[in-house]
Amino acid sequence: AQTVTQSQPEMSVQEAETVTLSCTYDTSESDYYLFWYKQPPSRQMILVIRQEAYKQQNATENRFSVNFQKAAKSFSLKISDSQLGDAAMYFCAYRRNSGGSNYKLTFGKGTLLTVNP
Amino acid sequence: DAGITQSPRHKVTETGTPVTLRCHQTENHRYMYWYRQDPGHGLRLIHYSYGVKDTDKGEVSDGYSVSRSKTEDFLLTLESATSSQTSVYFCAISESMWSAGGTDTQYFGPGTRLTVL
């Protein structure tokens, strides 16, 4: 079974600084997708970024970028120029893409990010 | 933002009573999902639907049933609520299950906080 591990229950960063959130996963599949979702205090789950495993290039979305290391099964999220609005719980998620029940998102337990002014 | 609403947003009920949560979408997406979120567990899939009247179980389906009579509505029923079902429930939708320009990405509703006393 696939598992997703976020080893940092909490992180903090100063406004305008850069922070990296860690995620590792375990799978025997070669075709899959990885996601970072953000959950602010409003509880809404917001997609931050998505990475296809077959793509070597790391995904970027404005101030958010990932470091995808397929061999190491690592998928970290870097937030540059942190803003107060980035404060939230961040979830890493995995989804296979090869036959069978490939619908399921497997989530990590989350990392709570605090942004200090 | 994807057009997904959930009702009610908050509910308090007593053990043994039936409860129905509603998810409504305006995106005409084929796939809909119900997750529950509990501290220390991230999000876990309860049931999902791959079309009108087509549903299947997720990893934590015991004690829950679902129905989908229209594309836009996906109902989650707790047949006899228990305290262990106190949780935050999220509905999600996706256009497809297979990656086609990211159309398999799941987008989440605002959540329903359910308390079973």
Side-chain angles (χ1 to χ4, degrees):
Chain A
Q2 292 83 12
T3 58
V4 177
T5 302
Q6 295 179 247
S7 59
Q8 307 150 316
E10 298 184 21
M11 292 281 285
S12 64
V13 63
Q14 292 296 127
E15 196 174 4
E17 298 293 309
T18 295
V19 64
T20 298
L21 309 184
S22 301
C23 173
T24 58
Y25 57 94
D26 185 26
T27 184
S28 58
E29 303 288 335
S30 60
D31 188 9
Y32 53 87
Y33 297 88
L34 297 162
F35 306 84
W36 279 99
Y37 282 90
K38 168 186 176 181
Q39 186 178 41
S42 67
R43 232 171 39 212
Q44 179 77 50
M45 292 287 288
I46 302 166
L47 178 68
V48 174
I49 203 164
R50 162 197 171 104
Q51 175 79 44
E52 290 91 339
Y54 64 86
K55 288 188 177 179
Q56 293 184 334
Q57 185 174 7
N58 289 326
T60 62
E61 287 288 342
N62 300 313
R63 297 183 295 107
F64 298 87
S65 61
V66 298
N67 184 6
F68 173 48
Q69 301 289 328
K70 190 172 183 179
K73 297 180 182 175
S74 171
F75 182 60
S76 60
L77 176 69
K78 184 172 82 171
I79 306 174
S80 304
D81 185 25
S82 297
Q83 301 176 359
L84 295 177
D86 295 333
M89 182 73 84
Y90 286 82
F91 290 96
C92 178
Y94 164 97
R95 180 184 173 284
R96 65 187 288 192
N97 192 46
S98 52
S101 56
N102 67 335
Y103 50 86
K104 175 187 166 186
L105 279 172
T106 300
F107 285 86
K109 295 182 179 180
T111 296
L112 181 63
L113 178 66
T114 302
V115 181
N116 300 309
Chain B
D1 291 343
I4 312 168
T5 56
Q6 293 184 230
S7 59
R9 294 293 311 280
H10 301 87
K11 186 171 182 66
V12 180
T13 191
E14 294 188 350
T15 298
T17 60
V19 176
T20 296
L21 309 183
R22 179 184 184 233
C23 177
H24 179 78
Q25 59 143 331
T26 59
E27 305 296 322
N28 201 34
H29 283 1
R30 178 178 176 184
Y31 300 91
M32 300 185 75
Y33 313 81
W34 277 108
Y35 290 86
R36 61 178 288 174
Q37 182 180 25
D38 304 292
H41 286 278
L43 277 77
R44 294 177 292 174
L45 183 68
I46 305 171
H47 281 280
Y48 74 105
S49 170
Y50 48 97
V52 173
K53 298 186 179 179
D54 292 323
T55 65
D56 206 349
K57 296 178 180 180
E59 61 182 306
V60 289
S61 61
D62 287 349
Y64 301 95
S65 62
V66 290
S67 65
R68 191 164 177 206
S69 58
K70 298 184 290 185
T71 299
E72 57 266 36
D73 290 326
F74 192 32
L75 304 181
L76 176 71
T77 297
L78 289 64
E79 293 136 10
S80 178
T82 68
S83 59
S84 64
Q85 294 176 311
T86 292
S87 187
V88 179
Y89 291 86
F90 286 95
C91 174
I93 65 173
S94 66
E95 190 172 352
S96 73
M97 281 189 176
W98 305 98
S99 175
T103 57
D104 61 323
T105 297
Q106 293 182 24
Y107 296 94
F108 287 80
T112 293
R113 181 177 292 280
L114 175 67
T115 302
V116 183
L117 301 176

